[in-house]
Amino acid sequence: MIQQGRVTRGSIGVSFQEDLGTNAITLKELGAPNGVVIMGVEPGSPAEKAGLKGGDVITNVNGRPIKTGNDLVNPIAQAPIGTKVKIGYVRDRQSKETSAVVEDRTRVFPNAALRQVDSQGDNGAAEFGLRVENLTPDRASRVGMEGQKGVLVVDVDPASFGDDLGFARGDVIAEVNRQAVSSVADYKAVMGK
């Protein structure tokens, strides 16, 4: 923060889904003992320059084994911008190694950053990259949360703070700062403080 004037978070430009990416059966099929299957690689990103592709399984970062999404995200997010990370991965059942230069996440995912700025004033309430809508009784029963009060997370911007914290579509936010929220209006009012 002192150096950049703002919080910078590192990224190499890969996307994945935690549940699918760490599924033991999928990993076994792909010939990886552990890791996260990456779904996509952002065009022009450090990952693309390093030769990574969707379907690769990242098994370690700087020699440390990857077992969860956080194991992959944290060492990269915390690495100083401009430093290199060593990445071990499996492709076609073969172990390979590459390295990628860590870049500022807002540069790697510029569209996500733009979406966040554009949507600050819209009805979807996108603070911290989270878009929420009212949790109607019908919606609550569809997501298996009958009787639950709160707001439903309908979208999470990639590379946002909400994404870093592990929020996903279908999550329900019931309280903010220990204050109950039962509508988007409540949520916006509390977040505004």
Side-chain angles (χ1 to χ4, degrees):
M1 192 174 229
I2 290 166
Q3 289 171 340
Q4 307 286 336
R6 62 188 175 85
V7 175
T8 54
R9 302 181 83 74
S11 176
I12 58 168
V14 295
S15 58
F16 63 91
Q17 274 185 288
E18 179 85 27
D19 293 347
L20 294 172
T22 57
N23 182 287
I25 296 165
T26 306
L27 292 173
K28 193 174 178 185
E29 252 335 279
L30 295 170
N34 60 278
V36 173
V37 185
I38 56 175
M39 293 178 68
V41 174
E42 192 72 6
S45 67
E48 186 185 61
K49 291 170 190 163
L52 292 170
K53 295 178 179 174
D56 289 345
V57 184
I58 297 182
T59 54
N60 67 75
V61 173
N62 290 334
R64 291 192 174 185
I66 304 298
K67 294 197 170 115
T68 67
N70 282 341
D71 291 343
L72 172 57
V73 171
N74 290 345
I76 294 169
Q78 291 160 10
I81 306 304
T83 58
K84 277 189 175 180
V85 287
K86 276 188 186 168
I87 296 162
Y89 65 102
V90 170
R91 178 185 297 162
D92 299 330
R93 298 185 155 268
Q94 292 185 353
S95 295
K96 298 174 181 280
E97 203 170 79
T98 187
S99 59
V101 177
V102 176
E103 289 183 13
D104 184 338
R105 191 172 293 196
T106 57
R107 290 212 173 93
V108 176
F109 292 101
N111 295 337
L114 283 174
R115 269 205 311 279
Q116 265 179 273
V117 171
D118 290 348
S119 60
Q120 289 298 318
D122 72 12
N123 293 331
E127 290 87 354
F128 300 116
L130 297 174
R131 282 199 185 70
V132 299
E133 290 181 8
N134 288 321
L135 182 66
T136 60
D138 176 48
R139 268 193 165 148
S141 67
R142 269 190 285 154
V143 295
M145 295 196 180
E146 292 87 352
Q148 175 67 54
K149 295 258 191 272
V151 291
L152 181 68
V153 176
V154 292
D155 199 17
V156 182
D157 286 333
S160 66
F161 191 61
D163 188 26
D164 284 349
L165 293 175
F167 277 99
R169 283 179 64 166
D171 286 347
V172 173
I173 297 173
E175 290 184 356
V176 177
N177 279 348
R178 297 193 186 85
Q179 206 169 322
V181 292
S182 55
S183 67
V184 171
D186 290 351
Y187 175 82
K188 281 185 169 179
V190 182
M191 292 295 275
K193 296 175 186 171

